[in-house]
Amino acid sequence: MTRSERLLALLQLLRRHRHPVSGATLAGELGVSIRTLYRDIATLQAQGADIEGEPGVGYVLRPGFMLPPLMFSQGELEALVLGFRWVQKFADAPVTKAATDALAKISAVLPAELAAELENTALLVGPRRIVDGEIVDLAVIRAAIRRERKLRLSYCDASGARSERVVWPVALGYFEETRMLVAWCEWRQGYRHFRTERMAAIALLEERFPRRRAAMLKEWRETDAGPRRARQA
């Protein structure tokens, strides 16, 4: 392992730990001496990495430090391109544009040989089979999820029956044939799954839902309402 590869590996190790981790643990995982580990940490700090700690106490990497794009491996670039291409094909327009812009930013700062790999990767995404017909703005749903705000939803079920709901949005799933909102439904008093093409109207409410979304997402995953047992509204 070269020194640059070792510094990158050290950053990745620190990123996996939210709390201080001892120098001995880091050195052991990297397969280097504790003296080498201390030198590597000093090098990263000099390059701008916000690493806090000291020998005998432990080290932690504070959020906000960005890895230089040139440090992506070929496999990492292929994974990024495949993910971006999937988003470009299956997501709604604002997210698609964001993915295109992000990929362009990465490509612009890569060394020439890696930029060429980015352009010529052979990993492709299959055809989109989603049934169009959405009339609501998914950006409103994403805003409600981020801000933990309630949504008023006018919804038609599979039989065409229309209902008015107030829901607590938890997640938005993108699939080949549909997009689906996971939410706690006040009317049903449980988690339900709403296909976006069946939404007739949505409105972002000022009222926040009374629980943290992260806790609700964990609960949804662990209960009978979870991903493999999805119940539609």
Side-chain angles (χ1 to χ4, degrees):
M1 181 186 295
T2 66
R3 187 161 189 263
S4 61
E5 290 173 333
R6 192 176 71 243
L7 292 174
L8 175 59
L10 176 55
L11 280 173
Q12 301 286 31
L13 281 176
L14 287 167
R15 277 205 166 112
R16 291 205 295 266
H17 296 277
R18 294 186 178 181
H19 303 289
V21 57
S22 71
T25 298
L26 293 170
E29 293 196 48
L30 291 170
V32 299
S33 69
I34 191 68
R35 181 173 296 181
T36 297
L37 184 279
Y38 291 152
R39 285 201 302 266
D40 287 349
I41 286 179
T43 298
L44 290 174
Q45 289 171 328
Q47 292 177 353
D50 189 5
I51 301 173
E52 294 184 359
E54 58 186 59
V57 176
Y59 298 91
V60 63
L61 177 65
R62 296 301 178 191
F65 182 71
M66 301 298 292
L67 286 177
L70 58 86
M71 299 181 82
F72 286 126
S73 69
Q74 184 175 353
E76 290 167 340
L77 284 173
E78 288 179 340
L80 284 172
V81 171
L82 185 61
F84 282 129
R85 286 179 174 174
W86 193 97
V87 170
Q88 288 170 336
K89 185 159 289 189
F90 291 101
D92 53 293
V95 177
T96 295
K97 182 180 183 302
T100 301
D101 291 346
L103 189 57
K105 288 178 181 178
I106 291 174
S107 181
V109 296
L110 284 173
E113 65 275 12
L114 288 182
E117 292 288 346
L118 196 68
E119 290 292 328
N120 298 319
T121 180
L123 302 182
L124 304 175
V125 176
R128 180 184 181 194
R129 295 186 297 168
I130 190 169
V131 178
D132 290 319
E134 291 171 345
I135 62 173
V136 299
D137 186 356
L138 299 191
V140 175
I141 295 177
R142 290 194 298 271
I145 291 171
R146 288 194 303 269
R147 297 161 65 182
E148 298 185 342
R149 297 257 296 277
K150 294 183 180 183
L151 277 176
R152 187 179 305 280
L153 176 65
S154 181
Y155 190 74
C156 298
D157 64 18
S159 66
R162 186 160 169 166
S163 60
E164 302 294 324
R165 320 282 187 99
V166 173
V167 301
W168 309 352
V170 174
L172 184 61
Y174 290 80
F175 304 95
E176 285 187 84
E177 298 179 352
T178 190
R179 298 169 183 133
M180 190 172 293
L181 172 66
V182 178
W184 174 270
C185 177
E186 291 187 354
W187 179 33
R188 295 292 190 182
Q189 284 295 294
Y191 291 104
R192 290 294 185 271
H193 305 82
F194 302 90
R195 294 172 68 111
T196 56
E197 75 272 14
R198 294 179 182 168
M199 297 178 182
I202 57 174
L204 181 62
L205 304 181
E206 290 297 325
E207 185 178 1
R208 295 173 61 93
F209 41 87
R211 299 179 59 195
R212 296 309 303 267
R213 187 188 65 85
M216 295 178 64
L217 183 60
K218 182 175 185 293
E219 181 181 71
W220 168 74
R221 284 172 171 159
E222 294 175 348
T223 64
D224 288 341
R228 294 185 180 180
R229 297 167 294 276
R231 290 179 292 173
Q232 294 190 31

